[in-house]
């Protein structure tokens, strides 16, 4: 029922973003609530380790005691996708902070229908999408 | 096991689903002993939050008994009687460190949906759509509770199941509204909505020392509960001049704190209700913000407005001019239950906070579709329907 206004709002956001798009790909960044002194680029856990060779990773102290900013930039020509970076950053943050990556409920209680197929496709990639 | 499943807009059924399994080392499995309807469920039921799948299990406010624990669980063991916060939080990210548990960075397995809608993703919630993680809900015989050392709390022997149930969400949500809106001794506090959350917000304001607490609704049975159990004054918006009464009862200043506990399906006797409903039905706005508008207009200069009701997206005719020119502080949040539940259980044990009266209808889980119909239509003065699996 809210799909119409949500789509309209999302379209406004998308237009605003297109208007600001820079010629080069930006970095994807998360802030992890761990001190910079505890982290090393080569020792980051999780799926970020798997894509290390295809991306540039930078660590910086976050202001205000918020921990460490992990910035990942995909260089020109890399085969790593934005979705893979988003997923890796989210999983790495969770591993560093919580020691684990939360899995969805299971076994599933839902049944596939024509109506929920788009939602199921979206949630299958729940950590790859978004704005990160 | 048996569970109440969302089958489509305004369609619920009790069916058989697989038993939940431990998925992470910090999980526990809880045998649900009581689980209760919430007004925010009606937004899912009515299709106002379009991130449900056929077969999803509803329910986010519950208590139960731990029956299985993951290897990393330290605070619970089988047999423990627990109340569980409706939001799922890791306890270790910056937001959890700030006690903003519903904003946890690691508790939502589908952050993309809400991040795209709202800019950043809140945490996950039980039984509250795939935008909030797609976690199976509590209207079932068993439920998986992730990060159980953070979100599940042992219930003291002095607190009955009937009372502890509402610490899970209603009482912690209401207390949060009063706390984070800054209620202090001497304040005049107005609360829109006399449902469970509104009553709990009013009771919290009383316990925090407010001089006058005034609850607004149209349902006399709920207003009577607010007077009797929260110690509040009441106004009926179908009968009383709300703006005038609030002005008069606050010495012409307006309430210091206005707490909105209504949400996106608000009613009102005036023409703005028809306007909002038409725009909502035409998909030109997602939410009906009647109570928020009224709260902003009523609030004193420099006062505080807290939005406790659930909203999904966009609203029209938002009084931004009043907000800015009166110097208001407007704040909102999903509930940070982990922050408040231990304190609430302590107050419940002392008898300062009572909740049993909210459970106006108690029935077996198999009758849950009937319970939701009663709850939605307010039949038989239903305030909350509680299900026993």
């Amino acid at each position: 029922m809210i799909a119409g206004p949500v789509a309209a709002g999302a379209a406004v956001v998308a237009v605003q973003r297109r208007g600001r798009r820079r010629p080069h790909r930006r970095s994807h960044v998360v802030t992890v609530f761990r001190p910079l002194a505890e982290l090393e680029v080569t020792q980051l856990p999780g799926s970020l380790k798997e894509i290390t060779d295809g991306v540039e990773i930078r660590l910086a102290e976050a202001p205000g005691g918020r921990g460490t900013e992990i910035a990942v930039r995909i260089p020109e020509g890399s085969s790593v996708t934005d979705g893979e970076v988003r997923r890796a950053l989210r999983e790495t943050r969770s591993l560093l902070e919580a020691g684990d990556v939360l899995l969805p409920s299971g076994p599933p209680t839902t049944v596939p229908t024509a109506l929920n197929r788009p939602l199921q496709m979206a949630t299958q990639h729940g950590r790859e999408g978004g704005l990160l | 096991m048996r569970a109440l499943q969302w089958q489509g807009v305004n369609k619920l059924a009790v069916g058989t689903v697989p038993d939940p399994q431990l998925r992470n080392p910090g999980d526990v499995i809880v045998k649900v002993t009581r689980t209760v309807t919430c007004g925010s469920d009606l937004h899912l039921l009515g299709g106002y939050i379009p991130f449900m799948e056929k077969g999803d299990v509803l329910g986010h406010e519950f208590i139960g008994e731990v029956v299985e624990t993951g290897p990393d669980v330290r605070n619970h063991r089988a047999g423990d009687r627990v109340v569980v916060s409706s939001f799922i939080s890791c306890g270790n990210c910056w937001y959890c460190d700030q006690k903003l548990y519903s904003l946890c960075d690691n508790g939502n397995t589908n952050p993309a949906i809400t991040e795209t809608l709202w800019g950043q993703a809140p945490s996950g919630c039980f039984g509250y759509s795939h935008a909030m993680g797609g976690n199976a809900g509590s209207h079932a015989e068993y439920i998986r509770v992730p990060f159980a050392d953070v979100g599940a709390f042992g219930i003291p022997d002095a607190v009955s199941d009937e009372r502890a149930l509402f610490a899970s969400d209603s009482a912690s949500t209401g207390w949060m509204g009063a706390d984070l809106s800054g209620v202090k001794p001497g304040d005049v506090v107005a609360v829109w909505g006399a449902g469970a959350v509104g009553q709990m917000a009013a009771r919290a304001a009383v316990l925090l020392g407010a001089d006058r607490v005034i609850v607004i609704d149209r349902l006399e049975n709920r207003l009577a509960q607010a007077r009797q159990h929260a110690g509040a004054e009441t106004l009926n918006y179908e009968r009383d001049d709300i703006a005038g009464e609030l002005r008069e009862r606050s010495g012409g200043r307006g309430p210091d704190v206005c707490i909105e506990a209504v949400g996106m399906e608000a009613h009102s006797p005036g023409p703005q209700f028809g306007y909002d409903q038409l725009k909502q039905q035409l998909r030109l706005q997602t939410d009906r913000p009647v109570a928020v508008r009224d709260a902003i207009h009523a609030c004193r200069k420099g006062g505080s407005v807290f939005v406790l009701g659930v909203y999904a997206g966009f609203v029209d005719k938002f009084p931004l001019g009043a907000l800015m020119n009166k110097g208001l502080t407007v704040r909102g949040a999903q509930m940070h239950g982990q922050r408040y539940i231990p304190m609430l259980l302590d107050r419940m044990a002392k008898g300062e906070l009572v909740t049993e009266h909210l459970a106006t209808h108690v029935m077996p889980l198999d009758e849950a579709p009937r319970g939701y119909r009663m709850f939605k239509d307010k039949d038989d003065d239903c305030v909350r329907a509680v299900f026993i699996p």
Side-chain angles (χ1 to χ4, degrees), chain B residues 28-335:
Chain B
V28 301
I29 302 294
V30 168
K31 183 179 190 300
V32 179
T33 51
R34 283 180 183 258
T35 177
V36 60
T37 58
C38 174
S40 62
D41 294 334
L42 300 180
H43 313 325
L44 304 175
L45 187 58
Y48 293 94
I49 296 178
F51 302 109
M52 296 293 285
E53 293 181 20
K54 183 176 183 178
D56 277 328
V57 178
L58 290 175
H60 57 263
E61 185 164 18
F62 64 101
I63 60 169
E65 177 189 326
V66 175
V67 292
E68 193 176 357
T69 59
D72 287 355
V73 174
R74 296 288 173 267
N75 297 341
H76 303 289
R77 58 184 178 181
D80 282 359
R81 194 167 64 110
V82 293
V83 57
V84 179
S85 172
S86 62
F87 267 76
I88 297 165
S89 312
C90 77
N92 289 292
C93 68
W94 185 81
Y95 292 99
C96 288
D97 185 68
Q98 304 297 305
K99 303 190 186 306
L100 302 171
Y101 291 95
S102 71
L103 306 179
C104 172
D105 268 337
N106 303 311
N108 188 342
T109 57
N110 296 321
I113 295 173
T114 46
E115 193 172 280
T116 304
L117 278 176
W118 301 327
Q120 278 80 27
S123 193
C125 181
F126 294 103
Y128 210 80
S129 89
H130 293 266
M132 293 296 191
N135 303 285
S138 59
H139 295 337
E141 292 179 84
Y142 297 93
I143 186 170
R144 167 209 179 206
V145 176
F147 298 125
D149 279 345
V150 181
F153 299 87
I155 301 171
D157 290 342
V159 182
S160 67
D161 283 1
E162 291 80 357
R163 184 171 294 185
L165 170 62
F166 294 95
S168 173
D169 189 295
S170 308
S172 32
T173 303
W175 196 282
M176 178 187 74
D179 179 34
L180 298 187
S181 60
V183 172
K184 59 185 184 302
D187 279 350
V188 176
V189 178
V191 179
W192 275 258
V197 171
Q199 289 189 39
M200 293 295 105
R203 182 61 184 158
V206 168
L207 291 171
L208 289 169
D211 187 60
R212 298 185 83 162
V213 179
I214 305 152
V215 176
I216 301 147
D217 205 301
R218 68 191 160 104
L219 300 170
E220 280 299 333
N221 64 305
R222 297 183 179 203
L223 293 172
Q225 287 189 338
R227 289 192 296 272
Q228 182 179 351
H229 299 286
E233 306 169 36
T234 59
L235 293 170
N236 186 324
Y237 67 73
E238 289 186 333
R239 188 187 61 220
D240 301 317
D241 167 14
I242 300 301
E245 286 287 340
L246 291 177
R247 196 176 290 271
E248 181 178 337
R249 295 180 191 210
S250 59
R253 302 181 301 275
D256 302 283
V257 173
C258 294
I259 299 173
E260 184 271 352
V262 178
M264 66 166 72
E265 295 179 69
H267 292 81
S268 127
Q272 65 171 327
F273 173 66
Y275 172 85
D276 278 323
Q277 193 172 40
L278 180 64
K279 289 206 73 167
Q280 194 178 37
Q281 295 303 318
L282 292 174
R283 322 299 198 252
L284 297 173
Q285 69 174 356
T286 58
D287 311 302
R288 302 200 297 259
V290 178
V292 178
R293 286 193 199 111
D294 289 353
I296 288 174
H297 276 289
C299 196
R300 76 155 165 82
K301 293 183 287 185
S304 175
V305 175
F306 202 97
V307 181
L308 278 180
V310 169
Y311 291 86
F314 305 92
V315 300
D316 189 15
K317 302 293 180 287
F318 184 80
L320 189 59
L323 185 160
M324 181 269 161
N325 287 287
K326 294 204 298 180
L328 301 182
T329 298
V330 178
R331 196 169 176 180
Q334 294 281 6
M335 55 86 77

Side-chain angles (χ1 to χ4, degrees), chain B residues 336-357:
Chain B
H336 308 311
Q338 291 84 344
R339 177 172 179 160
Y340 298 107
I341 288 174
M343 175 272 294
L344 293 172
L345 290 171
D346 187 47
R347 289 183 183 270
M348 287 177 170
K350 293 175 183 169
E352 295 176 357
L353 190 66
V354 297
T355 61
E356 296 90 328
H357 62 284

